[in-house]
Amino acid sequence: MANIQQATLGGGCFWCLESAFNTVDGVELAVSAYAGGQTQDPTYESVCSGQTGHAEVVRVNFDADKLSYREVLEIFFALHNPTQLNRQGNDVGTQYRSAIFYHDEQQKAAAEEIIQEISDEEIWPDPVVTEVTELNNYYQAEDYHQDYFSNNPQNQYCNMVVAPKLAKFKKTFASRLKSV
């Protein structure tokens, strides 16, 4: 029986995170979602307006016997720039903030610990601005956002932003990828 746990992470556009995490051995499923806002049942359009308070997130269901929460966080921090406040690249707004929405106190402690390590080791020239917040107001994104990169290879954003990020990720984490 698998030891399935969940992580909920915001690191810019959810299409990038979802497509990368779904290639990782030990990840059962990563889904695009929204978390952290005050609006009930937000839509993509309302989240993009910046008025709901939600972040675009990915819910990562992972087998903790194959992939630790710490490893999930290490991958998360490799997939985005945690020093950019309310943005990732050209995606600007609070919905693109760097955030870890913890599910329990152990996840909170692990998130705070890895952020402190990243800061102490000065991995980034600027301070880490990733927020660590208890999971609240979580809503799965609309069906058309799920597996968006794979389902929309012709999309210009996917070609210009997601594909290069995913290629770099696969090269860096080749040993962690699912065998095809």
Side-chain angles (χ1 to χ4, degrees):
M1 189 90 175
N3 179 12
I4 303 300
Q5 296 183 20
Q6 294 182 326
T8 304
L9 309 166
C13 174
F14 47 29
W15 299 337
C16 293
L17 293 179
E18 181 204 49
S19 60
F21 273 110
N22 275 323
T23 66
V24 175
D25 187 36
V27 170
E28 297 294 313
L29 180 65
V31 296
S32 294
Y34 314 112
Q38 66 276 358
T39 303
Q40 289 195 3
D41 298 315
T43 64
Y44 181 67
E45 290 74 22
S46 66
V47 170
C48 285
S49 76
Q51 300 303 305
T52 70
H54 288 86
E56 287 191 14
V57 299
V58 172
R59 163 83 42 96
V60 181
N61 297 326
F62 63 99
D63 183 344
D65 292 332
K66 294 181 179 179
L67 182 71
S68 71
Y69 182 69
R70 167 71 186 217
E71 290 170 312
V72 170
L73 293 180
E74 290 170 356
I75 292 167
F76 167 68
F77 280 110
L79 284 169
H80 80 295
N81 181 340
T83 70
Q84 292 183 333
L85 185 62
N86 298 328
R87 74 176 300 150
Q88 282 298 300
N90 291 328
D91 294 329
V92 179
T94 57
Q95 67 271 28
Y96 301 114
R97 67 189 180 269
S98 177
I100 299 170
F101 292 93
Y102 61 88
H103 293 244
D104 57 37
E105 289 301 313
Q106 290 82 12
Q107 285 190 354
K108 178 183 180 187
E112 291 171 343
E113 180 179 300
I114 197 168
I115 289 170
Q116 188 62 54
E117 288 173 17
I118 291 168
S119 298
D120 290 348
E121 294 172 15
E122 298 179 345
I123 292 172
W124 294 92
D126 297 315
V128 172
V129 296
T130 304
E131 69 179 53
V132 178
T133 307
E134 186 173 11
L135 180 64
N136 62 60
N137 294 327
Y138 172 87
Y139 298 92
Q140 187 165 315
E142 297 85 347
D143 287 345
Y144 71 92
H145 288 294
Q146 308 310 322
D147 208 19
Y148 191 87
F149 176 70
S150 294
N151 292 329
N152 296 278
Q154 76 291 351
N155 179 283
Q156 186 176 8
Y157 184 90
C158 289
N159 285 315
M160 308 238 352
V161 177
V162 182
K165 188 179 274 197
L166 188 57
K168 180 180 175 186
F169 169 77
K170 286 181 175 182
K171 184 176 180 185
T172 303
F173 287 91
S175 67
R176 299 288 323 164
L177 301 180
K178 295 175 181 174
S179 51
V180 179

